[in-house]
Amino acid sequence: MIEGKEIASAGQLRYGMLGGGEGSFIGDVHRKAIAMDGLAQLVAGCFSIDYEDTLRTAKKLRVADDRVYKDYVEMARKESGREDCIDFVDIATPNNTHYPIAREFLNAGINVVCEKPLTIDLAQAEELAALARKKGLLFAVTYTYSGYVMVKQAREMIRRGDIGEIRVVMGEYAQDWLATRLEDTGNMQASWRTDPSQTGRSNCVGDIGSHIENTVSYMTGLKIKSLCSSLDSFVPGRKLDDNAEILVRFDNGARGVYWASQVAVGHDNGLRVRIFGSKGSIEWEQENPNYLRVAYIGEPVQILSRGGSYMLPNAAKTSRIPAGHPEGYYEAFANIYRNFATALMKKKKGEDISDADFPSVEDGLEGVKFISKAVESSEAGSVWIDM
Ligand code: NAI
């Protein structure tokens, strides 16, 4: 980890962005999170499907005219031909575009950071992972929740054996924003998420179920062996799932229950993970992210705070301000980017990056496998399917 003064002397990376145009959501979060540590500067982009929007956004972001592009093909081609080529591209566009865009930039020899889900199809995800490996390029997939300090603390405690052998995992992500036909109102985010041609074979599992899968995998280190799912669409006329229950069996024999819903009235972004082991349990909620609920057999329940002396080094070093001042979503993204940028700078210097801590293309591939198996199980009548 490069910290404090080292950051300033490490030199700045250059990046380009796809998506993040006017009225969009996550691209702007990425830009602010990257800016937090000053490790990379935005120098190029194609910010929207609409070129006029791209031009206006580029102007606001002070991107030089000759590095504003009509589409990703032009951007990859022209950037890779420049001496001051971008060090990585940041893909913050709808799901169906991740594969062609990432493939284009990998083939142009440019490192990639891509939003989840990695692709809408398993073969595409396998191809991207193989291509990144073959080219020796860094490829991050921005599973946000792995960037939270207390998620890292839970991971370290579980690794150390604090709660013993894991027996049961309960994961839920409850939202209510799609409880009505928001897609009919022209809402940009709802429109493409409920359209199979842009979001793939699953809406709800792809959009938020995949966050449960990655967060649990990161915290516990467990691998899913098989699953049995029911994907449902409650809102009339909707073609894709807006609610999903998934039973999970892990490689160590543990059992899990995942529930993802976009029709859970009264819930905003209720990601909650509860992990029960033979000696204790750990629970984390993204809407109260600076705390962990920990319990050991026969002892009173404890609430761990982000600033406590008991914080383990790999978690503590990612905390940015004293406890009690809340950290959250932006800082989680910033932690992913700081670790990615640090690894990229080390790699440029020929240094070892085997301890890099950011979600990789292999994690993205696992996520797409999870989504596609959940769809397969549900379509076959909720049968158990091996991963
Ligand atoms: P959005 O609809 O708000 O924005 C998408 C942007 O991409 C728009 O500016 C659009 O014009 C642009 N775009 C579309 N096709 C393009 C192309 N070919 N070239 C350049 N720009 C293009 O979508 P949102 O909600 O920001 O989601 C984007 C991605 O981020 C999705 O894959 C989604 O799953 C993921 N996401 C991840 C989150 C996380 O916590 N990690 C949270 C929200 C979204």
Side-chain angles (χ1 to χ4, degrees):
M1 169 68 57
I2 293 183
E3 317 210 30
K5 283 184 202 145
E6 278 179 78
I7 287 178
S9 60
Q12 213 177 40
L13 300 169
R14 291 178 292 267
Y15 79 99
M17 172 170 265
L18 275 306
E22 290 172 340
S24 69
F25 170 38
I26 210 69
D28 187 57
V29 175
H30 283 234
R31 290 192 291 258
K32 287 176 175 149
I34 294 170
M36 217 177 261
D37 291 309
L39 288 173
Q41 192 190 352
L42 179 67
V43 296
C46 167
F47 301 103
S48 170
I49 197 74
D50 167 10
Y51 186 52
E52 293 303 315
D53 175 1
T54 288
L55 289 174
R56 287 191 299 272
T57 305
K59 202 164 181 191
K60 257 186 257 163
L61 297 169
R62 297 196 176 85
V63 173
D65 292 349
D66 65 330
R67 298 183 89 166
V68 181
Y69 301 101
K70 282 211 163 75
D71 60 45
Y72 66 90
V73 177
E74 183 194 21
M75 180 165 155
R77 213 161 287 161
K78 292 202 173 146
E79 279 297 319
S80 62
R82 294 180 69 106
E83 276 215 350
D84 58 351
C85 170
I86 51 172
D87 295 289
F88 67 93
V89 69
D90 179 358
I91 305 171
T93 53
N95 302 354
N96 64 318
T97 64
H98 297 172
Y99 165 72
I101 297 175
R103 189 185 52 179
E104 195 71 30
F105 280 88
L106 289 174
N107 278 325
I110 295 171
N111 302 290
V112 174
V113 176
C114 182
E115 261 304 344
K116 45 53 60 181
L118 178 58
T119 61
I120 59 169
D121 173 279
L122 187 53
Q124 293 176 347
E126 280 165 349
E127 188 187 328
L128 288 184
L131 192 55
R133 268 181 245 125
K134 185 175 146 203
K135 296 266 182 184
L137 292 165
L138 286 197
F139 195 135
V141 177
T142 45
Y143 282 112
T144 321
Y145 305 101
S146 66
Y148 279 87
V149 178
M150 296 314 274
V151 168
K152 292 183 188 293
Q153 172 73 6
R155 172 185 166 92
E156 294 302 314
M157 289 172 68
I158 289 168
R159 268 187 176 172
R160 196 172 64 172
D162 285 15
I163 63 166
E165 183 72 13
I166 295 171
R167 294 169 169 169
V168 177
V169 178
M170 303 294 288
E172 66 179 60
Y173 201 141
Q175 297 181 329
D176 66 3
W177 73 297
L178 290 180
T180 59
R181 283 194 59 87
L182 191 63
E183 56 268 44
D184 291 346
T185 67
N187 178 285
M188 185 195 283
Q189 286 75 28
S191 301
W192 69 257
R193 278 177 172 82
T194 53
D195 171 4
S197 71
Q198 294 186 77
T199 205
R201 289 163 72 205
S202 164
N203 160 41
C204 185
V205 177
D207 205 37
I208 54 175
S210 57
H211 278 307
I212 304 176
E213 180 273 330
N214 181 264
T215 310
V216 170
S217 158
Y218 184 73
M219 278 170 135
T220 65
L222 296 180
K223 288 231 165 299
I224 297 176
K225 220 175 113 209
S226 57
L227 60 76
C228 172
S229 66
S230 174
L231 274 55
D232 297 294
S233 180
F234 282 107
V235 173
R238 191 166 282 158
K239 294 194 188 83
L240 293 171
D241 54 311
D242 49 28
N243 186 84
E245 306 115 50
I246 307 175
L247 297 176
V248 170
R249 288 180 182 156
F250 296 98
D251 54 354
N252 75 333
R255 300 288 194 251
V257 180
Y258 294 174
W259 171 52
S261 183
Q262 294 157 323
V263 297
V265 176
H267 289 271
D268 299 324
N269 271 291
L271 172 63
R272 183 181 186 208
V273 177
R274 294 184 286 166
I275 301 158
F276 302 93
S278 54
K279 295 198 281 187
S281 68
I282 294 189
E283 303 183 16
W284 180 78
E285 288 179 56
Q286 105 99 11
E287 291 185 354
N288 188 23
N290 292 271
Y291 301 94
L292 275 185
R293 184 188 193 275
V294 179
Y296 300 105
I297 293 174
E299 291 182 26
V301 170
Q302 304 172 9
I303 303 296
L304 271 50
S305 155
R306 179 168 50 76
S309 56
Y310 38 73
M311 290 293 290
L312 295 168
N314 277 342
K317 73 184 182 189
T318 58
S319 179
R320 290 158 183 273
I321 48 172
H325 299 306
E327 283 185 1
Y329 200 62
Y330 285 108
E331 287 85 353
F333 268 103
N335 286 339
I336 291 173
Y337 271 109
R338 183 164 66 181
N339 290 351
F340 176 80
T342 303
L344 194 49
M345 288 188 287
K346 279 184 169 179
K347 185 166 175 276
K348 281 178 153 213
K349 288 191 260 169
E351 294 172 14
D352 175 44
I353 56 163
S354 53
D355 64 345
D357 177 18
F358 61 83
S360 69
V361 70
E362 307 297 337
D363 297 311
L365 172 57
E366 279 304 304
V368 176
K369 206 178 282 178
F370 169 75
I371 298 162
S372 90
K373 296 290 174 187
V375 170
E376 204 179 313
S377 163
S378 185
E379 285 180 351
S382 299
V383 297
W384 282 95
I385 302 245
D386 284 340
M387 290 288 280

